[in-house]
Amino acid sequence: MLSRLSGQLVPVFGRLTLTTDADAVLPPAGIIAANHTSLADPAIVLAALRLLGARPVVMAAAGLWRVPVLGRALAREGHIPVHRGDPRAGRAVVLAQEALERGRHILIYAEGGLPDRGDAAEAAPGAFHRGLARLAHRTGAPVIPLGQAGARRVTSGPAAKQLAGLATAPLRRPRLHVHVGPPLRLDGDGPAATAQARLAVTAAWRTAAARLGEPAALTA
């Protein structure tokens, strides 16, 4: 339902385009690693992946499960809550592994949160947590790097600014772009593998940002 709803709503709030590398064929199952810049980008990413025939299981902050309606939808569809700094955190890895074994894609935001910025400019992905590399190493699943740009034009910054952005986005319909890079196998589960994944997602983000004419794609 979330993928279908995203596919219906995102065109109302912006003009979404999608590109892939020539060899970026989605494997039957794998870990989709995306950069995280805005509360809007999960919907944008889901809408783009739906165009590629993928409806991933999303790993997201457990607090979202407490949001009325959304929380029930997330639970009903089998998305995975991540309890950071909590004994239940390990359960998310187990659930993700089970989903991969069932032939599903997993969508993960390895930065673990949103950037602390109020502007709408593009910036390279921040540091990745090691959970992505550990999950890939544990399951042997390929990592599919995905970069998105433009989500902060829909909503970003303090709460009042975010609400204003959402209210005016259907009138502005900002350009949004998602780029999918080729799948890769991480080399282990340590810092080097985490850096490898971040570099691949950053490369995909640079391509997406360049499509929007963002100078940050060249300098970040």
Side-chain angles (χ1 to χ4, degrees), residues 28-32 93 95-106 135-136 139-142:
I31 304 167
I32 300 169
V93 177
L95 293 174
Q97 182 173 354
E98 292 174 351
L100 289 166
E101 291 171 350
R102 294 195 305 270
R104 298 295 303 274
H105 291 98
I106 296 289
L135 179 62
T139 62

Side-chain angles (χ1 to χ4, degrees), residues 109-191:
Y109 290 100
E111 293 165 89
L114 294 170
D116 186 18
R117 295 189 292 111
D119 61 87
E122 292 294 322
F128 277 18
H129 292 278
R130 291 181 62 183
L132 167 61
R134 288 171 175 166
L135 179 62
H137 182 70
R138 180 172 176 173
T139 62
V143 173
I144 303 110
L146 181 151
Q148 63 77 28
R152 292 185 67 82
R153 298 177 178 181
V154 177
T155 180
S156 59
K161 184 180 177 183
Q162 292 198 40
L163 290 173
L166 283 173
T168 60
L171 299 174
R172 296 182 288 111
R173 296 196 69 238
R175 293 176 60 211
L176 315 166
H177 193 83
V178 170
H179 181 78
V180 180
L184 68 150
R185 300 282 179 174
L186 299 186
D187 185 15
D189 62 352

Side-chain angles (χ1 to χ4, degrees), residues 199-215:
L199 283 174
V201 173
T202 299
W205 162 78
R206 288 183 187 278
T207 300
R211 288 277 179 164
L212 299 184
E214 291 283 352

